[in-house]
Amino acid sequence: MSWSQRLAELGIELPAVAAPVAAYVPAVRSGAHVYTSGQLPFVGGELAVTGKVGAEVSPEEAKRHARTCVLNALAAVDALAGLDAVTRVVKLVGFVASAEGFTGQPAVINGASELLAEIFGEAGAHARSAVGVAELPLGAPVEIELIVEVE
């Protein structure tokens, strides 16, 4: 089964590639790897939510937005190399705009990691960083970068 078929089986449709908000491209291929730029929780061209996790945004809500971010990253991969060319997910880096004292970044970024496992199975197992930051672009609560290997 192809990854595109797996998405359909899960009832997931990739969004349109999010337009860059500055001077960069959504994804770059170098050899057998595709590196995505940081992806925010854009839905229909609009930032779905703003605020810091642990204050204006609950950890559960942020986890759902991490899932949106990784779908945006997969859309960038698909537009550049084709989703079905992915042989494995290599690394995910997640940034969480964190209220003072919030230390649940790994649980928030699990939203992205768990979705990759649902889609790619063993090929979705990846190295990962979950980083708490003071602010993210446009006031987003979460941002995801993805590195995948392609054929």
Side-chain angles (χ1 to χ4, degrees), residues 11-55:
I12 297 171
E13 191 172 319
L14 288 180
V17 177
V21 297
Y24 60 89
V25 294
V28 172
R29 182 174 181 166
S30 180
H33 293 95
V34 173
Y35 300 79
T36 72
S37 294
Q39 299 293 316
L40 302 176
F42 282 115
V43 175
E46 300 288 326
L47 195 57
V49 66
T50 60
K52 293 189 179 184
V53 181

Side-chain angles (χ1 to χ4, degrees), residues 1-3 29 31-34 74 77 81-91 116 119-126 147-151:
M1 172 185 315
S2 72
W3 303 130
R29 182 174 181 166
H33 293 95
V34 173
L74 291 174
V77 169
L83 191 66
D84 293 329
V86 173
T87 56
R88 78 163 295 113
V89 178
V90 177
K91 184 163 186 183
L116 291 171
I119 296 168
F120 296 103
E122 277 192 35
H126 54 273
I147 302 169
V148 298
E149 184 177 54
V150 294
E151 37 184 30

Side-chain angles (χ1 to χ4, degrees), residues 74-111:
L74 291 174
V77 169
D78 188 47
L80 183 67
L83 191 66
D84 293 329
V86 173
T87 56
R88 78 163 295 113
V89 178
V90 177
K91 184 163 186 183
L92 183 150
V93 180
F95 302 95
V96 179
S98 302
E100 187 173 337
F102 179 74
T103 59
Q105 294 84 7
V108 168
I109 301 306
N110 276 349

Side-chain angles (χ1 to χ4, degrees), residues 47-64:
L47 195 57
V49 66
T50 60
K52 293 189 179 184
V53 181
E56 301 86 5
V57 180
S58 73
E60 296 77 20
E61 183 182 5
K63 183 177 179 179
R64 289 191 303 276

